[in-house]
Amino acid sequence: MRLYGLAGEVRRRIAEGDMELTAKAALSAISARDGYWEEAWDAVLDVLTRLGPVERRRLVDVLVEGFHERGQDPDHRTDKLTLVSALSGDFADDPLAAERFEELAYLGRVNHYYWYGARLDLLAKAEITRGRVLAPAVVAFFRRSGLTGYEPHPAPEGTDRPVLNVGEEWAERAMADATGPGWEALLAHLTTATASRPTATWDKRARTLADTLGADQVRVTALRWLTLVGRPRTFPLECGPHDPDINSALDPYNANALRGLAWLLSLLPPHPDTARALGTLVETSLRRVAGIGPRNPKVANAGVVALSRIDGDEALAQLARLSTRMTHKNTAKLLDTALRTRATALGLSREEIEELAVPAYGLTEVGRSTHHLGEATAELTTEGTRTHLTWKNAAGKPTKTVPASVRRDHADDLKELKAAAKDIDKMLTAQRERLDRQFLARRTWSYETWRERYLDHPLVGTLARRLLWTVDGTPTGFAEGELRTLTDTPVTTGTEVTLWHPVDREPAEIMAWRDWLERHEITQPFKQAHRELYLLTDAERTTSTYSNRFAAHVVRQHQFNSLAAIRGWRHKLRLCFDDDAPPAIRELPEWGLRAEYWIAGDGEEYDVDTTESGTYLRLRTDQVRFYPLGAPADPLPLTSIPPLVLSEVLRDIDLFVGVSSIGNDPTWQDGGPDGRFREYWTSYGFGDLSQSAQTRRTLLERLIPRLAIADRCTLEGRFLHVRGERHTYRIHLGSGNILMSPGDRYLCIVPKSNPEPHQHGYLPFEGDRMLAVILSKAMMLADDARITDQSILSQL
């Protein structure tokens, strides 16, 4: 009712013939829209556009004069510009034309604005009415704004060209390649991919367009576009210091075209490059952006849908690989559905389809393949989870670079080899994580199946041959080309195979297997023989139904969330305005159990303890409990939980705390906001060792004597003592924090995000980042006279 009253005020002022008061009434009406958005503008314009030419001229002159007043609110100034543009379309002159052009140019440099509330589309309409073409960046602005408001809103008329938004390298390349009406029609069709899945009608149109252009040509061209997705924008958009990182996000209008592109590729004849590109698109689209989260989950989901529609091993392999890596809830659900559907169609279990989905990538034996390209020879080998491509010339001599003859005569083969090497790296990482989660899966294999899918598989075998297995109850490992017992007796046959776990083994046997691995110089892909064991404590027997072993920690929420998802836990990000939130949960259907880790958001100050969106930056941890899977029930006594389950669940939680705790961050020495975490930081950073840190200490006892700096290092309690030329240092074995003598002064050394792997002798397992940090710090501090980093020297 108020809206119509304001419009009535405009009519009264017009009747009085006072254009100054009419302008004030109109501006008051559209600025007091109270959520009516377009309705306020429509009501005012309906009145004002009925004015005769003379009255409209007088009103426009008043608005133009008001536009140039100093010190006014920018929104009011824009409203005046918009009213002038809307009312002067039939004038011989063009009032405020330069100012309108400047305003539109500004809009082309920003991300989006709710233009349908401010009616900025009238600025665009005025330009088009005058016969001018909107700049592509301006068109992109209106398209983005229409998609990112509270509800979808059509872009104003005249913004249908160009077919894609400028600013993204892939889109600009696509428009440059789209020469001719056939290609333009295809791009236009791609932008209509706004649903979660393509309809039969959409597919039919896409097939017709692709067939007209040639399926192979479409595939080659489209894959070239996909390689450019995620690259930096061709021109940055302006944003404030507290705004999300919009320049690292995907343009929402172009994102629809990317979804269509993924669907289109799934309609073309299968090709290894297609599956590879779609897998990369899923990963690229889920890469996290500050202030936004995943770049564009809808594009990632379209990539999964496309892969699920493609027949062949390559697409299945990508689905299996992504299922071990993707943590976004909806995408993970789509991947699981796709794999289960494929498994059902083949009469297999979900686990079996994951095993069969791993390709050999051209490897002809475990971890190795040889390729003859003319007179040159390429050898593809794996080491850990990394692939190496080496070359020999016609004389059989190694070369550091790719022979010129290969680059010249075998460019396609070289490209495929390099792509295979990258695929192997990704798949090895995925399979390592899948195998590390098998301890709770209760899997058993027939001996023949296990050898085929694991021990003798060209790719998985590089991991399986570095693990311990039980064959018909007898522990075995692979060494010197054969499966062997602890006494090196060969094992050539068997019936049933399981993955070995130390929880139900005697300490003497565990130590014997550690010695066996060292004797054969086998580096396990993750901790198995050295795996931490979390056995029930007296305190937990007393509390009965819960464990406080990992309570009262302060952890970074987003890092905790990522780790939990990778390990199969469900965790909802805590928001400051949530009344409550469920605990982090891991369901264990094979055991009929559900594990819960109770956590809560920490802090009360917005923008200090939270992100801009109100998500807590930090969590405080509490109890661990177990429940029967399914209906609500009372927590179970910890004594009833199988030791393997208890150990693996608590190991997960130790990982979450050990990685995401603020206590292991050297930059938190000041205690964070208002110093309120100083006590926790000190107690964690220099306190008792966790189980994983104790395992690290045990390993260092064997490793330190072999290092070049052995005479400068000693292990005492919780610390590695390192004697340098300037000082003696104590490195905490849990947090990696350093105290410097004399005076136990704190030394802040921020490690690299990915420290170099240890290069000083044999290590029994991969994956302990903190061990790499401690060793790198020890090496540097033992030779502290040669330190040149000023940030460190200033503290010595």
Side-chain angles (χ1 to χ4, degrees):
M1 296 300 292
R2 183 186 179 203
L3 179 62
Y4 296 105
L6 291 170
E9 177 68 14
V10 175
R11 292 190 185 93
R12 285 191 292 274
R13 296 306 182 186
I14 291 173
E16 294 172 0
D18 190 328
M19 288 300 119
E20 287 192 10
L21 292 178
T22 298
K24 288 182 180 180
L27 290 168
S28 177
I30 59 179
S31 63
R33 37 191 173 260
D34 291 342
Y36 289 99
W37 299 99
E38 300 106 313
E39 287 87 342
W41 274 95
D42 291 342
V44 170
L45 289 174
D46 183 62
V47 175
L48 297 182
T49 54
R50 296 174 186 271
L51 293 172
V54 176
E55 291 175 307
R56 274 193 293 119
R57 166 57 74 176
R58 290 173 55 204
L59 179 58
V60 165
D61 289 343
V62 170
L63 290 168
V64 169
E65 183 179 353
F67 177 85
H68 291 294
E69 291 176 358
R70 296 181 179 275
Q72 61 183 307
D73 183 276
D75 287 341
H76 292 167
R77 195 168 185 264
T78 301
D79 285 344
K80 292 171 185 175
L81 176 63
T82 305
L83 276 176
V84 169
S85 300
L87 297 174
S88 62
D90 58 349
F91 289 7
D93 60 341
D94 191 359
L96 300 181
E99 289 80 359
R100 182 172 65 245
F101 179 84
E102 182 181 345
E103 179 69 15
L104 287 169
Y106 165 73
L107 296 180
R109 299 193 301 271
V110 299
N111 183 30
H112 71 269
Y113 189 86
Y114 302 129
W115 56 263
Y116 44 86
R119 289 308 302 268
L120 298 178
D121 60 309
L122 296 174
L123 301 179
K125 182 179 179 181
E127 286 291 289
I128 295 169
T129 300
R130 296 284 179 173
R132 303 185 186 105
V133 177
L134 295 179
V138 177
V139 173
F141 160 81
F142 282 108
R143 287 172 171 169
R144 284 194 301 270
S145 299
L147 291 172
T148 52
Y150 293 114
E151 61 183 36
H153 210 90
E157 292 183 12
T159 57
D160 56 333
R161 304 286 295 179
V163 65
L164 298 176
N165 281 356
V166 296
E168 291 185 326
E169 189 172 346
W170 86 265
E172 293 182 6
R173 172 65 65 83
M175 289 188 288
D177 289 345
T179 54
W183 281 103
E184 290 189 0
L186 180 62
L187 285 182
H189 183 60
L190 297 182
T191 64
T192 65
T194 57
S196 59
R197 289 178 178 271
T199 63
T201 301
W202 194 97
D203 279 350
K204 182 179 180 181
R205 173 66 173 159
R207 279 196 181 95
T208 299
L209 292 168
D211 289 344
T212 300
L213 296 168
D216 287 342
Q217 184 60 38
V218 169
R219 174 182 57 78
V220 171
T221 305
L223 293 182
R224 186 166 61 243
W225 300 342
L226 284 186
T227 62
L228 304 176
V229 175
R231 288 193 179 183
R233 286 183 56 86
T234 56
F235 62 88
L237 297 173
E238 297 178 11
C239 54
H242 301 294
D243 290 343
D245 183 12
I246 55 176
N247 287 304
S248 295
L250 297 180
D251 184 295
Y253 184 82
N254 289 347
N256 286 337
L258 281 176
R259 295 162 73 184
L261 193 59
W263 297 348
L264 171 68
L265 286 168
S266 70
L267 299 174
L268 305 179
H271 191 280
D273 289 347
T274 299
R276 186 180 294 134
L278 289 172
T280 300
L281 178 65
V282 173
E283 294 172 301
T284 300
S285 303
L286 291 181
R287 196 158 293 144
R288 301 191 70 83
V289 174
I292 294 176
R295 269 179 172 156
N296 197 302
K298 289 183 178 180
V299 174
N301 293 348
V304 174
V305 168
L307 285 168
S308 69
R309 302 206 305 170
I310 299 175
D311 291 330
D313 295 340
E314 290 86 359
L316 181 58
Q318 290 294 333
L319 289 170
R321 180 182 69 81
L322 291 169
S323 71
T324 69
R325 302 289 295 160
M326 298 299 101
T327 59
H328 188 268
K329 183 177 180 180
N330 290 338
T331 306
K333 185 177 180 180
L334 277 176
L335 286 164
D336 182 66
T337 299
L339 287 172
R340 290 186 183 279
T341 300
R342 193 72 62 92
T344 300
L346 296 174
L348 301 170
S349 68
R350 166 74 159 73
E351 292 76 16
E352 286 179 304
I353 201 69
E354 277 192 326
E355 294 169 351
L356 292 172
V358 185
Y361 294 111
L363 298 174
T364 53
E365 54 185 296
V366 175
R368 183 182 301 274
S369 64
T370 302
H371 305 264
H372 299 286
L373 305 180
E375 295 183 340
T377 302
E379 189 169 63
L380 203 63
T381 58
T382 62
E383 182 180 353
T385 54
R386 290 290 175 264
T387 306
H388 303 281
L389 185 58
T390 57
W391 296 90
K392 293 180 181 178
N393 59 21
K397 294 182 178 180
T399 62
K400 292 183 178 180
T401 59
V402 180
S405 61
V406 173
R407 295 184 184 277
R408 183 184 64 247
D409 302 329
H410 302 277
D412 290 342
D413 294 328
L414 176 61
K415 177 184 175 182
E416 182 57 33
L417 269 179
K418 289 182 175 180
K422 291 181 180 179
D423 287 344
I424 291 171
D425 284 348
K426 291 180 179 181
M427 185 59 83
L428 281 173
T429 299
Q431 292 303 309
R432 179 180 66 184
E433 292 173 358
R434 183 179 71 84
L435 282 166
D436 195 20
R437 294 199 294 266
Q438 291 300 303
F439 292 109
L440 286 175
R442 308 189 86 170
R443 290 294 308 282
T444 61
W445 298 268
S446 68
Y447 182 79
E448 292 77 13
T449 297
W450 170 73
R451 288 207 68 124
E452 176 188 355
R453 299 179 186 175
Y454 286 89
L455 198 68
D456 297 331
H457 188 281
L459 186 140
V460 182
T462 65
L463 303 170
R465 291 185 176 191
R466 295 186 285 139
L467 294 173
L468 302 178
W469 306 83
T470 60
V471 178
D472 297 336
T474 301
T476 62
F478 191 88
E480 299 176 11
E482 289 189 278
L483 199 62
R484 299 175 181 275
T485 65
L486 190 57
T487 59
D488 278 340
T489 302
V491 175
T492 56
T493 60
T495 303
E496 184 179 87
V497 180
T498 59
L499 188 59
W500 183 92
H501 193 285
V503 73
D504 55 355
R505 304 291 171 175
E506 294 295 327
E509 180 188 341
I510 297 172
M511 294 304 298
W513 275 113
R514 292 179 182 180
D515 291 337
W516 187 90
L517 290 169
E518 184 174 345
R519 185 169 72 251
H520 291 287
E521 294 190 343
I522 296 172
T523 298
Q524 297 200 287
F526 48 81
K527 293 180 184 178
Q528 185 189 27
H530 291 77
R531 203 170 187 84
E532 301 86 357
L533 298 179
Y534 300 79
L535 306 178
L536 201 63
T537 64
D538 291 339
E540 288 161 343
R541 291 187 178 90
T542 300
T543 56
S544 179
T545 58
Y546 62 89
S547 169
N548 277 329
R549 198 183 306 197
F550 297 102
H553 287 283
V554 182
V555 298
R556 293 175 287 268
Q557 173 165 217
H558 291 85
Q559 193 170 21
F560 173 93
N561 186 60
S562 296
L563 289 167
I566 289 173
R567 296 296 299 176
W569 291 69
R570 287 189 286 112
H571 167 245
K572 177 184 177 183
L573 286 173
R574 265 52 172 179
L575 305 178
C576 62
F577 42 77
D578 283 343
D579 293 331
D580 60 2
I585 293 172
R586 182 171 181 182
E587 294 183 344
L588 305 164
E590 297 84 358
W591 303 86
L593 296 171
R594 180 181 81 250
E596 294 187 355
Y597 189 26
W598 290 18
I599 47 183
D602 178 84
E604 299 178 352
E605 189 171 349
Y606 176 77
D607 208 26
V608 172
D609 297 314
T610 73
T611 65
E612 286 281 321
S613 62
T615 305
Y616 281 111
L617 293 171
R618 293 169 292 277
L619 302 172
R620 286 193 179 271
T621 67
D622 204 343
Q623 302 172 358
V624 179
R625 297 190 177 202
F626 291 85
Y627 296 84
L629 189 63
D634 292 331
L636 296 169
L638 297 181
T639 52
S640 69
I641 306 303
L644 174 61
V645 174
L646 180 70
S647 185
E648 286 298 302
V649 167
L650 294 182
R651 184 177 185 272
D652 275 357
I653 295 171
D654 193 359
L655 169 69
F656 305 159
V657 172
V659 174
S660 61
S661 170
I662 64 171
N664 62 24
D665 187 339
T667 64
W668 277 70
Q669 181 194 9
D670 62 357
D674 301 322
R676 68 177 187 264
F677 300 110
R678 186 176 293 111
E679 183 178 350
Y680 170 75
W681 184 86
T682 301
S683 65
Y684 182 90
F686 300 106
D688 293 339
L689 299 183
S690 66
Q691 194 65 41
S692 60
Q694 291 176 27
T695 299
R696 192 174 300 127
R697 189 188 193 286
T698 300
L699 176 59
L700 285 170
E701 286 177 346
R702 305 178 68 152
L703 180 62
I704 292 296
R706 306 173 190 169
L707 299 180
I709 59 170
D711 60 332
R712 291 179 171 269
C713 297
T714 55
L715 280 168
E716 296 183 18
R718 305 185 298 271
F719 297 89
L720 171 62
H721 291 240
V722 181
R723 178 171 52 83
E725 296 297 329
R726 299 170 182 266
H727 302 281
T728 296
Y729 310 89
R730 294 195 296 155
I731 307 175
H732 191 264
L733 301 178
S735 65
N737 289 337
I738 306 168
L739 294 175
M740 183 169 53
S741 298
D744 275 353
R745 291 177 294 145
Y746 176 67
L747 176 60
C748 179
I749 299 178
V750 180
K752 297 178 180 178
S753 57
N754 291 301
E756 292 295 322
H758 174 65
Q759 298 293 334
H760 301 279
Y762 164 78
L763 282 181
F765 53 80
E766 300 166 352
D768 189 340
R769 179 183 180 276
M770 185 55 68
L771 177 63
V773 169
I774 291 171
L775 288 171
S776 65
K777 287 181 177 180
M779 292 292 178
M780 178 177 62
L781 296 174
D783 196 13
D784 58 0
R786 300 180 63 180
I787 293 175
T788 58
D789 189 317
Q790 288 300 317
S791 66
I792 299 175
L793 284 175
S794 63
Q795 303 175 69
L796 298 180

